[in-house]
């Protein structure tokens, strides 16, 4: 992530307020880290407060504040009449080049004009940490770094859920808070939102859009943008994988996930694998699955888990573990079968142990 540089200089007062457009997401990741990975007892109340504060961000999940014609008009008048923001109540005049840059950024990112002003002010304050970048290029990094931070926090919360495969050994009050919060997100359509974002967020498409507007800098900047977008996609897929490992996905979540996988080209089709005339088998090796597809595929396999249930226990309704939709939902298997038959390729089911063990080490925040 990008370290935080605190305000100094001519724009120091404005920048200290404008950091609100980016630093809260960094603070969110830090509090989640303290509560879950470091298990700080005092972090419970901070976690409770920050989850309440950012619940709208988790529910909307990377939806940008919409552009606003009134805000744009006010911004265009800022060089002469000044501008006040929710985080900056007093009027401040802005240089014309700053206003022009904010308008360009708003159109480029499809982001609210006032949010772009805050983002540019925050980017200007971070320039000591990004010495080879202009203010606009730094703003692009902060934008994607903030989005990544929300997803990393969500992934870590889901990974800390109590379930079938591992336990973090957290205090019961922290577990209750995390389970209740993430359950609410799940009931609000979290799976569908994640799959929609995985379809929409594309590294090549984003690079092309930025390049057309000359919003990509040197090779290092390009690599940073690619890494941040890639990390967003990976965190989204990890959310579904960790959830399914701990609490196998119900039919309503599994079917859209399978349908999403059917639409992918997971092996990155190599034209050399197609022989002229359409016959024969190519000797070219099939590339490995990309990590995002692999996480999604494993999430589907985890949904097919039946735990330690034996054939005998499955015949006795009183012994069925209601945590496993595969054995408790009589429509699960027929529905999955129909999805596979509907023009898609079938997959194999898998099973894993349900005994809680030590969790896999979480990725760094």
């Amino acid at each position: 992530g990008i370290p935080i540089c605190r305000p100094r200089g001519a724009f120091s007062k404005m920048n200290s307020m404008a950091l609100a457009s980016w630093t809260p997401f960094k603070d969110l990741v830090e509090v989640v880290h303290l509560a879950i990975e470091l298990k700080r007892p005092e972090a419970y109340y901070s976690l409770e407060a920050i989850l309440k504060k950012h619940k709208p961000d988790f529910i909307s999940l990377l939806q940008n504040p919409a552009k606003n014609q009134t805000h744009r008009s006010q911004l265009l008048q800022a060089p002469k009449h000044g501008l006040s923001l929710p985080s900056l109540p007093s009027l401040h005049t802005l240089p014309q080049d700053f206003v022009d840059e904010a308008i360009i950024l708003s159109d480029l990112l499809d982001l609210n004009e006032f949010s772009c002003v805050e983002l540019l002010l925050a980017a200007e304050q971070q320039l000591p940490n990004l010495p080879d970048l202009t203010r606009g290029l730094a703003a692009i990094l902060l934008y994607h770094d903030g989005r990544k931070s929300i997803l990393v926090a969500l992934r870590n919360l889901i990974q800390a859920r109590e379930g079938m495969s591992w336990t973090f050994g957290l205090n019961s009050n922290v577990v209750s808070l995390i389970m209740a919060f993430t359950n609410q997100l799940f009931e609000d359509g979290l799976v569908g939102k994640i799959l929609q974002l995985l379809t929409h967020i594309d590294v090549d498409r984003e690079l092309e859009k930025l390049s057309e507007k000359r919003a990509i800098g040197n090779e290092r900047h390009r690599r940073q943008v690619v890494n941040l977008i890639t990390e967003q996609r990976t965190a989204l897929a990890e959310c579904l994988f960790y959830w399914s490992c701990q609490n196998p996905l119900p039919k309503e979540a599994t079917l859209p996930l399978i349908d999403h996988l059917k639409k992918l080209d997971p092996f990155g089709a190599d034209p050399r694998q197609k022989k002229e005339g359409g016959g024969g088998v190519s000797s070219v090796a099939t590339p490995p699955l990309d990590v995002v597809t692999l996480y999604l595929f494993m999430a589907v396999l985890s949904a097919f888990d039946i735990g330690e249930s034996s054939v005998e226990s499955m015949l006795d309704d009183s012994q069925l573990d209601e945590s496993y939709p595969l054995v408790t939902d009589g429509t699960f298997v027929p529905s999955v079968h129909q999805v596979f038959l509907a023009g898609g390729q079938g997959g194999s089911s898998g099973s894993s142990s349900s005994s809680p063990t030590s969790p896999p080490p979480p990725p760094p925040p």
Side-chain angles (χ1 to χ4, degrees), residues 274-330:
K274 297 181 179 179
K275 286 182 172 290
E276 293 185 6
V281 178
S282 171
S283 62
V284 178
T286 301
L289 286 170
D290 67 87
V291 66
V292 169
T293 305
L294 183 59
Y295 273 125
L296 297 182
F297 183 67
M298 294 305 297
V300 170
L301 292 185
S302 296
F304 296 153
D305 195 357
I306 60 172
E308 297 179 343
S309 300
S310 63
V311 173
E312 290 79 9
S313 67
M314 291 176 67
L315 296 176
D316 183 356
D317 289 346
S318 65
Q319 298 184 42
L320 284 177
D321 187 340
E322 295 184 359
S323 301
Y324 297 96
L326 183 65
V327 296
T328 59
D329 183 353

Side-chain angles (χ1 to χ4, degrees), residues 32 35-36 44 47-48 51 55 153-188 190 242-248 323:
V32 170
I36 294 176
Y44 170 80
L47 180 64
E48 184 180 38
L51 291 183
K55 187 175 181 179
L154 176 61
R155 177 200 66 197
N156 291 351
L157 288 168
I158 291 175
Q159 189 182 22
R161 289 173 57 85
E162 288 292 308
M164 313 301 175
S165 302
W166 60 74
T167 177
F168 273 77
L170 301 173
N171 291 335
S172 59
N173 58 346
V174 176
V175 171
S176 297
L177 175 63
I178 291 173
M179 294 294 286
F181 185 80
T182 52
N183 282 340
Q184 289 177 12
L185 297 181
F186 189 87
E187 292 167 4
D188 197 62
L190 179 63
Y242 289 143
W243 191 294
S244 192
C245 285
Q246 289 291 71
N247 309 98
S323 301

Side-chain angles (χ1 to χ4, degrees), residues 4 6 16-31 50 53-54 57-58 118 122 146 149-150 153:
I4 299 173
R6 297 299 175 181
S16 64
M17 303 295 290
L19 285 174
S21 68
W22 173 62
T23 55
F25 303 132
K26 308 294 286 185
D27 295 338
L28 171 64
V29 173
E30 179 63 20
V31 170
I50 207 163
K53 173 183 176 182
H54 285 283
D57 297 314
F58 284 114
E118 293 181 337
S149 296
I150 295 173

Side-chain angles (χ1 to χ4, degrees), residues 84-249:
S84 63
L85 305 174
S87 60
L88 195 66
S90 57
L91 284 173
H92 291 271
T93 59
L94 297 173
Q96 185 62 52
D97 64 329
F98 187 99
V99 170
D100 294 341
E101 200 167 5
I103 295 295
I104 293 173
L105 195 64
S106 175
D107 292 336
L108 177 62
L109 300 178
D110 194 23
L111 180 63
N112 179 269
E113 291 79 3
F114 285 1
S115 296
C116 290
V117 170
E118 293 181 337
L119 191 62
L120 283 172
L121 289 171
E124 184 163 325
Q125 195 57 51
Q126 300 311 307
L127 289 181
N129 292 325
L130 306 164
D132 56 340
L133 298 182
T134 64
R135 181 175 57 204
L137 295 180
I140 297 295
L141 288 186
L142 296 193
Y143 171 76
H144 283 293
D145 188 61
R147 289 163 66 88
K148 184 200 79 170
S149 296
I150 295 173
L151 297 178
V152 167
L154 176 61
R155 177 200 66 197
N156 291 351
L157 288 168
I158 291 175
Q159 189 182 22
R161 289 173 57 85
E162 288 292 308
M164 313 301 175
S165 302
W166 60 74
T167 177
F168 273 77
L170 301 173
N171 291 335
S172 59
N173 58 346
V174 176
V175 171
S176 297
L177 175 63
I178 291 173
M179 294 294 286
F181 185 80
T182 52
N183 282 340
Q184 289 177 12
L185 297 181
F186 189 87
E187 292 167 4
D188 197 62
L190 179 63
V191 172
K193 294 173 185 177
I194 288 176
L195 294 178
Q196 185 176 19
L197 285 169
L198 284 171
T199 300
H200 176 73
I201 299 174
D202 180 86
V203 175
D204 292 335
R205 188 162 55 234
E206 187 68 19
L207 285 179
E208 181 180 359
K209 180 179 70 174
L210 294 174
S211 297
E212 287 177 356
K213 300 297 182 180
R214 299 181 181 179
I216 287 290
N218 56 25
E219 183 57 35
R220 183 169 181 267
H221 181 254
R222 179 187 182 89
R223 186 169 61 251
Q224 288 173 312
V225 171
V226 169
N227 289 342
L228 288 171
I229 298 174
T230 301
E231 288 166 356
Q232 291 171 37
R233 288 179 49 79
T234 302
L236 286 165
E238 286 176 314
C239 285
L240 294 182
F241 171 65
Y242 289 143
W243 191 294
S244 192
C245 285
Q246 289 291 71
N247 309 98
L249 296 171

